[in-house]
Amino acid sequence: MTKNTNAFALPSAARTFYEANAVAEDIKSQLEETAMFLINISRRSTEEAFKLGEHLERAAELLPEGTLEKWAVERCGYTARHVRTQRAVFRNLAHYKDILVELAVGPTVLGKLSAAEPDQIEQAIGFAAQNGKLRVQDVAAIMADSKNEAEARPQIDPYDVGGLDGLKAIIAIKVREGLKSFIGHLEEIRAHIDEALPKKNIVKKSLADKTHLTARLARRELESLAQFVMPNPHCTSVVWNSPLPPKTRWSEVGDMLYKMGSNENWPEKEKLRTWLEAEVVPILEWATSKSSAPAWPGVETSEVLSVNVPAEVDADGPVPADVSGNPDAVATGAPSVEERMGAIAAAFGATATTEVPKPKLTLQDDVPSIAEALSKSGKHLKRPEIVGRIKSASGIATPSTTSPAATA
């Protein structure tokens, strides 16, 4: 059976797929356009191979997560392996597309090359440019040689590498693997909730048993990824996690995971469905979204926060939620610091003067990345200075460094 025949034989299966996965009509029409492209494409050129992968990526964005391969198999007659290969070609070789098109590297070779490392890809391109062609066995040989060379070299554990390079390496591992684990646990919780919501009666104990330990673990992962450590201001011998800024959205994600971590904190049965649908699921969607600016539950798209806050930030003080540039307009109707100090001084028959510190950091300054911050030397506070600042901020008396004899 040819693919053109499949174009007429598969719509009934596709209709079943769309109904089972609740695909909206407007999305369905876009998917059908993609399906016709995938079905009718014949012998592919290098350019068309990249277009095929691009169409599959677009279809993946339109379809419910994890259903692309099933759709491509049932609607377009593709195999799941072929779908994975074509997507890998588009994702992994996009940077080299122009030169690969110029060299007319065949689609089958592209599929093999999509599994190669960047240095292997560049070596294969050099081979093709020198020899005028590139075959699957050539790519396989290049990859095998690289593997043999890597195995021949002594393997160094990144946790044994010293200096900033070693520290950057293990930080990268922590961020990459830790983020993957955290998102995976949130998606696991979401899957259990999605399974429970369509049911007429949600069994609270059953759902809590499936999710509460995962929620506890995810909350600790969030702390590990996003929070700093600091001495406890009330007991400097104790080191704890500094909390996420209160009333921020990631703080609310942590609070929601804390609440989910014990079924004793869950709402009563009559409020359970509303809580899951209106709070838990939207927050999980926000936290796991791949969008650059996902909408917070209940916030209009135009109100979505971006990382570019148009206001100066004082590095030594908290940042108000809404700053218009006027330091006296932080809290409407509330007296300013100058007014409060003036009122206190007036009670003692004195006049108060205050100096507003100049902002130390503006958004015109570049905020360094982790790697940049680690690579630059700067002034580091010594432990006595850190402890002194904490004690000062907490009102803890600092012992005098002057000897008793000197004061006598």
Side-chain angles (χ1 to χ4, degrees):
M1 181 180 289
T2 66
K3 285 188 176 180
N4 286 331
T5 306
N6 285 341
F8 297 97
L10 290 174
S12 59
R15 188 160 47 249
T16 302
F17 173 89
Y18 292 143
E19 292 173 355
N21 291 276
V23 178
E25 288 298 323
D26 57 332
I27 301 298
K28 192 187 303 181
S29 63
Q30 296 179 57
L31 289 170
E32 283 302 295
E33 291 179 8
T34 299
M36 295 311 298
F37 172 85
L38 298 176
I39 291 168
N40 293 322
I41 192 169
S42 56
R43 184 174 178 81
R44 298 188 303 279
S45 65
T46 310
E47 182 78 36
E48 287 173 327
F50 279 97
K51 287 184 179 179
L52 194 153
E54 183 179 7
H55 277 74
L56 287 169
E57 286 294 302
R58 289 178 182 173
E61 294 176 359
L62 296 172
L63 287 162
E65 188 171 355
T67 63
L68 172 67
E69 292 179 10
K70 182 177 176 61
W71 173 79
V73 169
E74 295 182 2
R75 179 66 187 92
C76 307
Y78 281 63
T79 65
R81 180 179 179 181
H82 187 58
V83 171
R84 290 193 292 270
T85 300
Q86 296 309 312
R87 294 180 74 188
V89 167
F90 177 72
R91 290 196 304 263
N92 301 341
L93 301 179
H95 182 68
Y96 310 96
K97 177 184 174 182
D98 292 342
I99 185 65
L100 291 170
V101 170
E102 184 179 341
L103 292 170
V105 177
T108 305
V109 181
L110 290 177
K112 183 70 175 177
L113 196 59
S114 68
E117 297 294 330
D119 59 332
Q120 297 169 348
I121 296 171
E122 292 167 8
Q123 187 178 347
I125 289 173
F127 179 92
Q130 183 177 359
N131 294 276
K133 63 179 180 179
L134 185 66
R135 302 170 300 173
V136 170
Q137 53 264 46
D138 298 327
V139 176
I142 289 170
M143 294 173 67
D145 288 344
S146 297
K147 182 179 179 182
N148 292 336
E149 289 177 8
E151 290 175 350
R153 291 194 299 267
Q155 298 298 313
I156 302 176
D157 190 329
Y159 290 91
D160 288 332
V161 179
L164 293 184
D165 286 343
L167 184 59
K168 291 175 190 176
I170 62 176
I171 288 173
I173 293 171
K174 169 65 182 295
V175 172
R176 182 179 67 249
E177 300 302 324
L179 182 61
K180 187 188 302 181
S181 178
F182 172 66
I183 295 299
H185 287 134
L186 294 191
E187 291 175 344
E188 180 184 338
I189 295 170
R190 172 70 189 277
H192 286 304
I193 295 173
D194 287 346
E195 181 184 4
L197 284 176
K199 298 176 182 178
K200 185 175 181 180
N201 294 317
I202 301 175
V203 181
K204 175 180 172 180
K205 184 179 184 305
S206 175
L207 182 57
D209 287 344
K210 294 177 182 177
T211 59
H212 77 284
L213 292 179
T214 307
R216 291 184 193 178
L217 179 57
R219 182 171 179 270
R220 290 300 301 272
E221 288 175 326
L222 177 59
E223 291 178 353
S224 177
L225 286 167
Q227 294 180 210
F228 292 93
V229 295
M230 61 177 286
N232 185 324
H234 303 294
C235 181
T236 54
S237 63
V238 176
V239 177
W240 64 355
N241 284 341
S242 59
L244 292 170
K247 297 183 180 179
T248 59
R249 290 169 183 177
W250 277 108
S251 176
E252 291 191 39
V253 173
D255 293 343
M256 184 271 291
L257 290 172
Y258 176 83
K259 187 173 183 179
M260 290 200 73
S262 172
N263 58 7
E264 295 178 359
N265 295 329
W266 288 38
E268 296 302 322
K269 184 177 180 180
E270 58 271 13
K271 298 180 180 179
L272 181 60
R273 183 181 297 276
T274 301
W275 176 62
L276 292 172
E277 292 179 340
E279 181 177 339
V280 176
V281 170
I283 290 178
L284 289 174
E285 287 180 348
W286 182 86
T288 58
S289 174
K290 295 178 181 178
S291 168
S292 59
W296 182 255
V299 176
E300 296 296 331
T301 305
S302 60
E303 300 177 51
V304 173
L305 295 179
S306 86
V307 293
N308 298 317
V309 183
E312 293 185 344
V313 179
D314 185 345
D316 289 340
V319 182
D322 182 14
V323 182
S324 61
N326 179 2
D328 293 329
V330 172
T332 305
S336 66
V337 174
E338 292 84 351
E339 291 170 337
R340 292 197 300 270
M341 292 297 293
I344 294 171
F348 295 92
T351 301
T353 60
T354 58
E355 294 184 2
V356 179
K358 183 179 180 180
K360 299 178 182 177
L361 175 66
T362 68
L363 291 189
Q364 281 69 33
D365 299 323
D366 290 331
V367 179
S369 65
I370 292 176
E372 292 170 337
L374 288 173
S375 65
K376 295 179 181 178
S377 61
K379 181 182 177 181
H380 299 282
L381 294 178
K382 304 297 183 182
R383 178 173 173 78
E385 294 177 85
I386 296 173
V387 173
R389 283 193 176 190
I390 294 170
K391 288 182 176 180
S392 176
S394 306
I396 302 173
T398 304
S400 174
T401 56
T402 307
S403 64
T407 59

